[in-house]
Amino acid sequence: LKTLPEIYDGFAATYDQNRNLFDMTDVIRNFFSGLGTGSGHLLDLGCGAGEPFARFFIEHGWQVTGVDFSRQMLELAARYVPQMQSVFSDMRDIHFKPNQFDAITAVYSLFHVPRADHRALFDRIFRFLKPGGRFLFTYATKQYTGQDTFEGYMDFMGEQLFYSHKTPQELHADLKDTGFLILADIYRNIGSETFLWITAGKPGETT
Ligand SMILES: C[S@@+](CC[C@H](N)C(=O)[O-])C[C@H]1O[C@@H](n2cnc3c(N)ncnc32)[C@H](O)[C@@H]1O
């Protein structure tokens, strides 16, 4: 089996043909309007080609840092969204100072991280967020994998990709143990795939 970075490096080659297949306008506008600050700093985990999230935030005057472990995806991002500062890393290994970011996103990426590592990742994300900051991510559930909990491989665009998830109840418990408030929890069907979209907030006032 190929590793995820190898697979996404391969996807980058045909990315142009599949651009705009997923219309996320609603999700982005919804999340963006809930952020108190006019502009700020976004950390986008698994940013891929920097679309559509990084691009949207940059166009709205934000500073964006994108993290991805596929070099080819980051090369596309450098072309499409040159203003994004990119970090070539596994999202589980990133280090930033505490209280750095007004928003953190993990759009269609966190479900590739083994569930045993979710809690530690949430702890980091919580630390990196400013008080009052928000974290939006896509979570796989039974609606996608067919099972209450899942860890294994599923076919996506002709490749076997690793996915992992707990139950939504266990996810909620992890987020609450971390200190997050769960602000929104919505199943969305986009491009005929249903995922759970969670917005979690770090308690405190936005500055
Ligand atoms: C389905 S793409 C989504 C890209 C983008 N967020 C979007 O909405 O189009 C998933 C991305 O997450 C990246 N990714 C998956 N697991 C990762 C990890 N542990 N660390 C960093 N990047 C990861 C992949 O390389 C890929 O670019």
Side-chain angles (χ1 to χ4, degrees):
L1 284 170
K2 289 188 221 164
T3 64
L4 279 163
E6 284 167 348
I7 291 171
Y8 276 104
D9 280 350
F11 285 162
T14 54
Y15 184 84
D16 278 326
Q17 285 133 50
N18 299 306
R19 271 172 100 181
N20 307 321
L21 226 55
F22 294 76
D23 181 6
M24 282 187 267
T25 321
D26 245 34
V27 194
I28 301 180
R29 291 201 177 279
N30 206 284
F31 179 62
F32 190 75
S33 67
L35 300 170
T37 53
S39 68
H41 194 171
L42 170 76
L43 175 65
D44 191 19
L45 302 173
C47 62
E51 299 179 317
F53 270 74
R55 179 199 289 284
F56 181 94
F57 276 77
I58 280 169
E59 285 172 353
H60 286 77
W62 281 51
Q63 186 184 343
V64 177
T65 300
V67 175
D68 207 288
F69 64 9
S70 158
R71 271 208 194 282
Q72 299 304 325
M73 285 307 241
L74 289 180
E75 280 192 16
L76 284 183
R79 251 174 44 210
Y80 297 146
V81 193
Q83 304 92 325
M84 184 183 87
Q85 190 194 329
S86 68
V87 178
F88 173 63
S89 171
D90 190 308
M91 68 172 88
R92 288 169 290 178
D93 301 329
I94 47 169
H95 295 280
F96 294 99
K97 288 196 212 103
N99 309 323
Q100 286 290 294
F101 298 98
D102 303 276
I104 301 183
T105 48
V107 178
Y108 297 120
S109 59
L110 187 129
F111 49 46
H112 290 318
V113 174
R115 61 192 176 203
D117 296 338
H118 288 182
R119 181 56 214 280
L121 182 59
F122 293 154
D123 282 339
R124 269 175 203 240
I125 290 169
F126 188 86
R127 225 174 28 247
F128 300 154
L129 270 180
K130 290 183 189 169
R134 291 185 176 195
F135 170 40
L136 172 76
F137 64 98
T138 321
Y139 201 76
T141 66
K142 192 175 186 170
Q143 271 71 6
Y144 189 69
T145 63
Q147 294 175 38
D148 288 325
T149 67
F150 182 85
E151 182 151 275
Y153 291 83
M154 288 189 53
D155 188 83
F156 180 77
M157 290 173 66
E159 297 281 359
Q160 291 296 307
L161 270 70
F162 177 86
Y163 291 85
S164 182
H165 68 81
K166 303 183 184 183
T167 65
Q169 292 74 21
E170 288 166 331
L171 168 67
H172 276 226
D174 275 356
L175 289 167
K176 285 179 184 155
D177 288 349
T178 304
F180 276 116
L181 307 167
I182 295 163
L183 304 175
D185 172 359
I186 305 166
Y187 284 93
R188 289 179 186 271
N189 183 295
I190 301 176
S192 73
E193 293 179 338
T194 300
F195 286 104
L196 186 58
W197 289 80
I198 301 264
T199 307
K202 178 168 174 170
E205 293 291 315
T206 42
T207 46

